[in-house]
Amino acid sequence: MVRGLDSGQRLYFSGLFGNTCPNSGGRLHIVISYEFPLNERIRTLLRLEDLYQRAQYFALKDDPEEHHVALTSLFEILDVGGRADLKSELMQVLERQKQHLDALRNSPAISQEALATILAEIEKAVSDLFLSSGKTGQELRENEWLMGIKQRSAIPGGVCEFDLPSYHFWLNQSAEVRRLDLYEWLAPFLPIRNGVQIILKLLRESGKTTSRVAHQGVYQQTMAGRLAQMLRIRLDRNYDCVPEISANKYALNVRFTTAIGTQRRTSVDDVSFELTFCNL
């Protein structure tokens, strides 16, 4: 276990893990945003984003139970983000976006300051991914103590104190000691986290939002050659329904079903919503 982060490193990690989650503020707004990935790559990125947000939230807390959730989230990141080709995929996507954005230099319709900022972020993300040698999280896989906890975590109730007394001892250390360890274990995944954040930010900002109506809870649209990697639906939270999407290169079908209760049925009322096709 590592205790050696100095005050500057603690501030660095607090900044990285203390930002507001992009999808976590729904209760304060009048709409709920639903995102639907249309390919496996975007599905993986969204899962990683969700896991990083959960890990960052609980790592900043103080209770042992909360730090247990942060650690199990780290184990899930290790499983989802440990693919050998993930880093190269992220670098390729970022490089393509950099070339696309480079072409916008000196365009009067583009804020050059904002453009320079995002280009610098992309360059740093690519550099960090390139410099992160080996398979992501290999240090954790070689840590027998952590892998023992990971293995027991897959068993219901498998991390009780009589099963893992050394883990029970760690959970009884001070919150600061546990937090420093969590930051150290999360550190190898930060280059991937930053790359994922940039790609999803660009993806979300790529689409044009339009207002639509699902008559009696059903909406259909032909794709007509339209390309999309992700769909976003924004819905007034006063509607007691949730969208279910099926889509392919030919057609998009959205069905709004009741959100409360055990019996699911299509809404019989018209549902107004906002639809965004996102594509890089």
Side-chain angles (χ1 to χ4, degrees):
M1 296 174 233
V2 178
R3 314 270 193 258
L5 298 184
D6 59 28
S7 60
Q9 289 172 310
R10 285 197 291 271
L11 179 62
Y12 173 73
F13 276 104
S14 295
L16 284 174
F17 291 105
N19 295 327
T20 301
C21 302
N23 296 321
S24 64
R27 293 184 180 179
L28 300 177
H29 297 84
I30 62 172
V31 298
I32 301 176
S33 179
Y34 299 88
E35 294 181 334
F36 296 87
L38 298 181
N39 61 49
E40 190 60 34
R41 174 184 293 168
I42 302 303
R43 188 174 291 111
T44 297
L45 299 190
L46 289 173
R47 283 175 176 158
L48 282 171
E49 179 187 58
D50 182 71
L51 289 169
Y52 281 121
Q53 289 173 4
R54 191 192 311 162
Q56 78 177 42
Y57 177 83
F58 285 105
L60 288 169
K61 300 297 182 177
D62 292 330
D63 291 342
E65 292 81 3
E66 292 166 321
H67 284 173
H68 171 71
V69 176
L71 186 57
T72 55
S73 299
L74 171 61
F75 293 151
E76 292 184 65
I77 292 172
L78 184 64
D79 289 336
V80 177
R83 279 184 18 226
D85 59 344
L86 180 60
K87 284 195 298 186
S88 61
E89 281 188 7
L90 292 176
M91 292 172 66
Q92 289 172 10
V93 174
L94 289 168
E95 286 287 3
R96 284 199 299 270
Q97 291 307 303
K98 181 177 180 295
Q99 293 174 10
H100 172 71
L101 293 171
D102 268 330
L104 300 177
R105 290 184 186 273
N106 302 319
S107 171
I110 300 296
S111 167
Q112 295 302 305
E113 182 178 355
L115 180 61
T117 298
I118 188 62
L119 284 171
E121 291 176 359
I122 291 175
E123 289 177 1
K124 185 178 188 309
V126 171
S127 175
D128 290 344
L129 285 166
F130 181 78
L131 292 174
S132 57
S133 59
K135 190 175 182 180
T136 303
Q138 188 60 34
E139 304 94 328
L140 272 64
R141 292 184 181 88
E142 295 173 355
N143 186 319
E144 293 183 6
W145 184 76
L146 284 175
M147 290 303 97
I149 298 170
K150 182 178 185 295
Q151 184 178 22
R152 296 294 307 180
S153 296
I155 303 172
V159 292
C160 289
E161 59 184 84
F162 56 83
D163 289 308
L164 293 172
S166 65
Y167 184 49
H168 181 63
F169 174 81
W170 182 78
L171 290 174
N172 278 275
Q173 301 302 300
S174 69
E176 181 67 10
V177 165
R178 295 194 307 269
R179 189 176 298 110
L180 291 177
D181 285 336
L182 288 169
Y183 288 164
E184 183 70 18
W185 297 331
L186 283 163
F189 299 93
L190 291 182
I192 286 181
R193 173 188 183 267
N194 295 338
V196 168
Q197 279 189 330
I198 293 172
I199 291 171
L200 290 179
K201 178 177 183 292
L202 292 172
L203 180 64
R204 290 177 173 122
E205 293 176 351
S206 68
K208 180 180 180 181
T209 301
T210 57
S211 298
R212 307 294 172 93
V213 176
H215 297 290
Q216 296 185 339
V218 176
Y219 176 81
Q220 296 178 319
Q221 176 181 333
T222 58
M223 296 299 280
R226 182 193 298 268
L227 298 176
Q229 295 173 305
M230 184 177 75
L231 299 177
R232 184 168 66 243
I233 287 179
R234 288 164 55 88
L235 182 68
D236 192 305
R237 67 179 176 183
N238 290 321
Y239 286 113
D240 291 330
C241 59
V242 295
E244 294 183 350
I245 284 184
S246 61
N248 55 39
K249 61 182 180 180
Y250 302 109
L252 164 67
N253 295 282
V254 183
R255 183 169 67 105
F256 290 91
T257 60
T258 52
I260 301 174
T262 57
Q263 298 298 319
R264 299 172 64 193
R265 62 181 178 83
T266 301
S267 172
V268 296
D269 300 321
D270 291 350
V271 178
S272 299
F273 65 99
E274 293 180 347
L275 176 64
T276 309
F277 291 88
C278 302
N279 190 58
L280 291 178

